[in-house]
Amino acid sequence: MGCSLILHHYPLSPFSEKIRLMLGAADLHWKSLLVSPLPPRPATGPLTGGYRRIPVAQFGADMVCDSQLIAEEISQISAKPFLAPSSASKEATELAAVAESTLFFDAASLVPPKQALSELKRHLSLFDTARFLWDRLGIARETRSKLTVAEGAKRFRATLAQLDQQIQGEFLFGDRPGHADFALYHPLWFLSQVGAVPLSPKLTRLSAWYDRMSLFGHGHHQLISAKDALAVAAASQPRGILPEFRAHPDIGKEVIISPTDYAKAGTRGQLAGVSDQRWILRRETGRFGTVHVHFPRQGYRLSSKG
Ligand SMILES: N[C@@H](CCC(=O)N[C@@H](CS)C(=O)NCC(=O)O)C(=O)O
């Protein structure tokens, strides 16, 4: 199925892999805008205006930040409600949260430094590799675990062993893949594909699940340049906002929205929409016209513009 989604992503990004795989599971046609692993990013920066994490999904003049909200959009476009985080059970939601926090950071710390360096050098110039390491050192300070690497490795192995026991059907919570499957997949993908540390063959059910998930692939995609993505935004109007999302007393106020966990750079704009799930900011970019930037409420904070 064709859709107007332009994914701003880079190959080594685990959260992008979650979305690429979901696009495969949803069998969608999408546009691929390859960006640098660290700012500046010529199209993403001007359109999102501060938010610095990847992936971001662009739909014309609407920028959807965070893989949670992108997953909601994919589930709606493809009419596959079971992919949406909002339709997951409490148990699946809790597992996804663990997979994308502790498990993700444990997996990242298990990538052998030499391997990480050689992967980076394969994708980046020497100068950008150094810039990347410096940049991520700053983010690592924000996410530093209280556990040592060995303790983190132990916790990681124990969680995987427990999951291996838990899998009953084809997917984590039955016969259809849900958001939790994709949230668990990407840290394991990162460790095995980028870190060259494969899953233990003793984890037979988990390994079979991982292989099954890999088969979704990435759907059908075509490259788009930053210049063309900017032209798409400039030629588009943001999507309309439902009247019930415009009823909040703070609509119209100048605010800043930022992540609460790490890479906390915020986006400034005028609050244009509020639902239970998301905040929508209106930004006047000048050259590229009016843009709406969407954030999930979960994991983000809204503050008044100082
Ligand atoms: N909660 C975000 C996390 C995204 C994330 O951490 N992305 C990584 C790349 S995979 C990133 O941008 N890291 C920090 C940074 O570079 O600012 C999501 O689900 O999209």
Side-chain angles (χ1 to χ4, degrees):
M1 190 200 288
C3 75
S4 61
L5 189 159
I6 300 173
L7 188 68
H8 296 223
H9 68 127
Y10 58 90
L12 292 178
S13 155
F15 283 90
S16 300
E17 181 61 16
K18 166 185 170 183
I19 293 303
R20 292 185 290 250
L21 198 72
M22 198 176 263
L23 288 163
D27 197 24
L28 290 178
H29 289 254
W30 52 282
K31 298 237 165 58
S32 164
L33 172 57
L34 291 172
V35 300
S36 161
L38 74 165
R41 303 180 180 115
T44 325
L47 296 179
T48 58
Y51 181 72
R52 59 152 292 169
R53 307 197 293 192
I54 290 296
V56 172
Q58 177 183 350
F59 298 90
D62 284 82
M63 302 299 288
V64 179
C65 299
D66 199 286
S67 66
Q68 298 269 342
L69 216 46
I70 302 174
E72 292 290 340
E73 299 271 344
I74 293 174
S75 97
Q76 275 170 30
I77 300 165
S78 61
K80 291 188 164 53
F82 53 89
L83 293 175
S86 59
S87 67
S89 65
K90 187 165 176 276
E91 198 189 351
T93 303
E94 280 167 10
L95 174 60
V98 169
E100 297 198 321
S101 53
T102 44
L103 204 69
F104 173 69
F105 291 114
D106 289 344
S109 71
L110 288 171
V111 173
K114 235 172 128 183
Q115 170 67 16
L117 201 61
S118 92
E119 275 297 319
L120 284 173
K121 288 205 303 219
R122 220 158 59 80
H123 287 85
L124 299 174
S125 67
L126 210 57
F127 176 67
D128 278 341
T129 301
R131 272 199 334 119
F132 178 88
L133 292 172
W134 181 249
D135 179 70
R136 292 308 204 266
L137 205 66
I139 290 177
R141 281 195 202 103
E142 298 178 71
T143 56
R144 189 178 290 146
S145 162
K146 290 192 181 70
L147 303 189
T148 63
V149 173
E151 287 166 337
K154 200 168 155 202
R155 173 172 67 181
F156 182 78
R157 281 196 295 271
T159 310
L160 295 199
Q162 195 190 334
L163 286 166
D164 189 59
Q165 293 301 308
Q166 208 174 301
I167 297 178
Q168 297 295 336
E170 301 242 306
F171 298 100
L172 292 176
F173 294 95
D175 295 333
R176 286 196 299 195
H179 177 249
D181 289 275
F182 297 90
L184 176 64
Y185 180 85
H186 72 88
L188 304 186
W189 169 84
F190 188 66
L191 188 56
S192 63
Q193 296 300 305
V194 180
V197 179
L199 268 177
S200 160
K202 287 188 196 146
L203 302 169
T204 50
R205 288 196 226 173
L206 195 65
S207 301
W209 165 87
Y210 182 86
D211 292 344
R212 198 171 300 125
M213 289 291 290
S214 311
L215 291 178
F216 284 129
H218 291 163
H220 318 268
H221 49 98
Q222 238 183 321
L223 283 176
I224 183 169
S225 66
K227 191 166 155 252
D228 287 349
L230 287 169
V232 168
S236 310
Q237 290 296 321
R239 303 187 297 214
I241 299 177
L242 292 173
E244 59 266 39
F245 294 174
R246 288 189 269 118
H248 195 277
D250 289 340
I251 292 293
K253 289 199 178 142
E254 291 293 320
V255 296
I256 301 173
I257 297 182
S258 19
T260 53
D261 46 5
Y262 57 90
K264 295 179 186 158
T267 295
R268 287 163 181 256
Q270 195 182 53
L271 194 63
V274 177
S275 76
D276 290 347
Q277 219 177 39
R278 71 175 78 193
W279 284 307
I280 307 171
L281 285 190
R282 180 186 174 93
R283 297 186 56 244
E284 302 301 338
T285 68
R287 263 179 83 193
F288 312 110
T290 306
V291 170
H292 282 175
V293 191
H294 301 238
F295 293 93
R297 294 179 62 162
Q298 174 83 26
Y300 289 76
R301 129 170 4 105
L302 182 145
S303 52
S304 309
K305 192 168 157 181

